[in-house]
């Protein structure tokens, strides 16, 4: 049973307080958390007013349901009565009312494309639109047939992605060394370009291979991709993990890390592209992470395709890279560090300022210190907000004094990028301080939902 505390919700640090683009969410009333919504949907209460009947909805009919206590919204051709959900909507009632009595697909996609509305709102389903709007084909389900080639190929194939050019090279090997008369033909829905906005998130089921403690509350999860799957999450991007919790699909974003810091200590065990790693902090009273923590080796988790707005081009001609990370806000910095130190020729300096509560909370501390020792361009500073009296490093929260000391360019006019990620108040405060220190918008990248 999930034990969700009842004080102010969402908690100040909860992701449920932040929407896409860093939009703040409204505080929800007592008893209106996501878990409370799940409970209501399981209570057997008639949430549509149609006693389980599904109807065909005309545009005229849809338009009539445009009030708070009678509000229907169409998403991808399906109509939902969202009135019962109003008070549970983390973005607030007014935000939901923007789509009242109309097709809210575009609005929904702009704000939170990744939210698993089908599962969350299944008890609110009124029916389908009578005249179906263009519904994008469902690309989300795992396809059994893997290719439309005329002959068999080996299961192993290689994919090379040149991120900064956008080139993808796929090398398939024939199973039998014979000459092929024809290549085959593309499968349905293949060999075409679909605008990203028209596709739902595609999930594949990945198997939990290992789960190792990294700190007292953070674990490194290794997931194995299904056979013949290639998933390369670009630097700075995240994926969504999906689990079914008490019958409802719950989705949360996580940023995969690479094992370059780990391989300092271990032989590179799982080198090929079959595995994906996550550093995840377990919140005992959280909704998703305790479920993740309870998974056994061999269990499955659904993993989406990547999303995010960080672009590798932001590294172009970069000379100084400053990383400001707090807690698990360190996760995007792992791949950034690896990429920067290996792929940016003119890079002079990479500095990480890593904010945590206590020494025990610091993720991969010795690995980072070892990297700083090995690579003279890299430097790391730890700042603790709740240290013990023995700590003789830096203390406190993000502040003008800490930043102005830390953010020293290697040359007066060197090209700089500052990446910042952590709890929302940390990131918001950091951005304000960086602007006060005269760093321009182009010199700052903040990671938000
Ligand atoms: P939540 O249910 O969201 O709870 C979070 C906190 O709120 C906990 O402290 C919990 O105790 C408290 N809380 C919950 N319910 C209540 C209540 N009713 N009253 C009071 N307090 C309550 N995290 C990682 O660990 N690793 C990553 O790589 C990572 N990448 C991310 C990438 C992105 C783009 C974003 C936006 C977030 C990322 N996160 C990452 C955070 C992650 O998505 C989740 O927010 C986090 O794992 C918490 O999820 P949860 O459901 O377990 O906790
Ligand atoms: P935490 O509670 O352990 O705090 C770590 C440090 O953050 C603190 O020591 C402090 O220095 C700073 N901090 C915390 N609250 C602050 C406040 N109100 N004002 C100023 N500074 C503050 O952190 P955590 O539990 O590891 O949380 C990490 C956060 O990072 C989560 O909210 C998670 O969603 C977010 N995250 C975001 C992404 C992304 O890409 N957007 C990726 C990973 C993690």
């Amino acid at each position: 049973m999930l034990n969700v505390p009842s004080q102010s919700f969402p908690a100040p640090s909860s992701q449920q307080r932040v929407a896409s683009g860093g939009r703040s969410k409204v505080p929800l009333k007592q008893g209106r958390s996501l878990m409370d919504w799940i409970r209501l949907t399981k209570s057997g209460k008639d949430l549509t007013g149609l006693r389980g009947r599904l109807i065909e909805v005309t545009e005229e009919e849809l338009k009539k349901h445009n009030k708070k206590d009678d509000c229907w919204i169409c998403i991808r051709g399906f109509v939902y009565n969202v009135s019962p959900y109003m008070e549970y909507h983390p973005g607030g009632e007014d935000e939901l009312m923007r789509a009242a009595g109309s097709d809210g697909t575009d609005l929904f996609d702009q704000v939170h494309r990744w939210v698993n509305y089908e599962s969350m709102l299944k008890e609110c389903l009124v029916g389908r639109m009578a005249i179906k709007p263009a519904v994008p084909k469902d690309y989300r389900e795992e396809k059994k047939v893997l290719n439309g080639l005329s002959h068999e190929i080996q299961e192993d194939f290689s994919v090379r992605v040149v991120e900064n050019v956008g080139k993808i090279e796929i090398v398939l090997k024939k199973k039998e060394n014979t000459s092929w008369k024809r290549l085959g033909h593309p499968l349905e829905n293949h060999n075409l370009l679909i605008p990203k906005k028209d596709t739902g998130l595609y999930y594949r089921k990945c198997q939990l291979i290992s789960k190792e403690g990294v700190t007292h509350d953070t674990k490194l999860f290794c997931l194995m991709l299904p056979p013949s799957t290639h998933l390369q999450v670009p630097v700075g991007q995240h994926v969504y993990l999906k689990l079914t919790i008490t019958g409802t699909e719950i989705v949360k974003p996580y940023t995969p890390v690479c094992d370059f810091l780990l391989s300092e200590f271990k032989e590179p065990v799982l080198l090929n592209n079959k595995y994906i790693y996550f550093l995840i902090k377990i919140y005992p009273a959280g909704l998703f992470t305790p479920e993740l923590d309870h998974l056994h080796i061999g269990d499955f988790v659904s993993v989406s395709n990547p999303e995010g707005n960080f672009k590798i081009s932001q590294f172009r001609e970069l000379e100084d890279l400053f990383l400001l990370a707090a807690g698990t806000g360190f996760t995007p910095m792992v791949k950034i560090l690896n990429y920067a130190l290996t792929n940016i020729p003119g890079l002079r300096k990479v500095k990480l300022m890593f904010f945590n509560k206590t020494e025990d909370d610091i993720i991969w501390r010795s690995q980072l210190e070892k990297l700083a020792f090995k690579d003279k361009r890299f430097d790391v500073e730890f700042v603790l907000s709740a240290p013990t009296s023995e700590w003789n490093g830096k203390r406190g929260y993000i502040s003008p004094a800490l930043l102005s000391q830390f953010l020293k360019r290697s040359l007066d006019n060197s090209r700089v990028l500052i990446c910042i990620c952590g709890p929302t108040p940390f990131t918001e405060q950091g951005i304000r301080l960086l602007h006060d220190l005269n760093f321009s918008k182009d010199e700052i990248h903040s990671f938000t939902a």
Side-chain angles (χ1 to χ4, degrees), residues 4-5 9 11 14-15 252-255 279 281 285 287-289 331:
V4 183
F9 183 79
S14 172
Q15 246 352 97
K252 293 264 167 145
Y254 293 94
T255 315
L279 276 170
K281 175 165 170 175
L287 180 59
F288 194 84
T289 48
T331 52

Side-chain angles (χ1 to χ4, degrees), residues 79-259:
V79 179
Y80 298 90
N81 177 353
V82 295
S83 293
Y85 182 63
M86 285 283 170
E87 292 190 343
Y88 297 81
H89 183 230
E93 300 186 9
D94 294 345
E95 194 63 25
L96 210 51
M97 283 305 292
R98 285 172 64 197
S102 67
D103 188 336
T105 310
D106 285 348
L107 204 58
F108 176 83
D109 283 348
Q110 275 165 31
V111 183
H112 32 219
R113 214 165 84 82
W114 53 277
V115 168
N116 49 329
Y117 68 91
E118 293 105 319
S119 180
M120 295 257 297
L121 296 179
K122 64 178 178 235
E123 298 304 323
C124 299
L125 184 66
V126 168
R128 267 180 183 272
M129 285 301 288
I131 310 157
K132 261 196 337 201
V135 182
K137 291 236 162 47
D138 195 347
Y139 297 96
R140 289 164 295 172
E141 288 310 313
E142 204 67 53
K143 300 273 183 311
K144 285 277 178 297
V145 192
L146 293 169
N147 62 65
L149 295 168
S150 60
H151 293 65
E152 278 188 90
I153 50 156
Q154 293 179 21
E155 195 172 284
D156 269 351
F157 60 96
S158 70
V159 180
R160 203 165 67 92
V161 180
V162 190
E163 281 194 48
N164 48 356
V165 189
K167 183 175 137 186
I168 301 175
E169 183 186 88
I170 303 172
V171 179
L172 306 170
K173 290 182 211 139
K174 291 175 182 171
K175 207 159 198 175
E176 283 167 12
N177 198 10
T178 54
S179 112
W180 291 13
K181 296 231 164 19
R182 57 192 181 90
L183 267 181
H185 51 84
L187 297 175
E188 194 192 347
N189 303 328
H190 286 221
N191 207 22
L192 49 96
L193 284 173
I194 308 151
K196 209 171 164 192
K197 69 174 178 51
D198 292 346
T199 62
L201 276 185
Y202 179 95
Y203 282 91
R204 71 276 297 150
K205 285 199 170 123
C206 296
Q207 199 168 20
L208 180 64
I209 295 298
S210 65
K211 184 170 59 167
E212 271 176 46
V214 173
T215 69
H216 62 102
D217 59 7
T218 301
K219 294 186 177 170
L220 181 71
F221 289 78
C222 174
L223 302 180
M224 184 170 69
L225 295 164
S228 306
T229 302
H230 180 86
L231 174 68
Q232 185 168 332
V233 181
V235 176
Q237 296 207 6
H238 54 270
V239 294
Y240 296 95
L241 299 187
K242 182 165 77 176
L243 284 175
T244 301
I245 301 175
T246 58
T248 300
E249 287 182 347
I250 303 291
V251 179
K252 293 264 167 145
Y254 293 94
T255 315
V257 295
C258 53
D259 62 349

Side-chain angles (χ1 to χ4, degrees), residues 31-64:
R32 294 294 181 270
S33 72
L34 180 52
M35 202 57 216
D36 295 313
W37 171 250
I38 294 172
R39 278 194 204 106
L40 177 64
T41 61
K42 303 275 170 269
S43 67
K45 198 171 168 199
D46 175 14
L47 297 183
T48 59
L50 294 168
R51 291 195 215 96
R53 201 162 46 95
L54 293 178
I55 58 169
E56 289 226 318
V57 183
T58 59
E59 289 210 15
E60 296 73 57
E61 184 64 29
L62 179 65
K63 274 186 202 151
K64 287 185 207 157

Side-chain angles (χ1 to χ4, degrees), residues 13-15 238 255 281 283 326-332 355-357 361 383-385 396-398 421-426 429 447-449:
S13 60
S14 172
Q15 246 352 97
H238 54 270
T255 315
K281 175 165 170 175
Y283 296 88
T328 56
F330 170 62
T331 52
F355 296 81
N356 283 282
K357 294 198 285 269
D361 294 318
V383 183
L384 301 183
S385 57
Y397 286 90
I398 193 164
C421 187
T424 307
F426 166 87
Q429 200 181 337
F447 289 89
T448 48

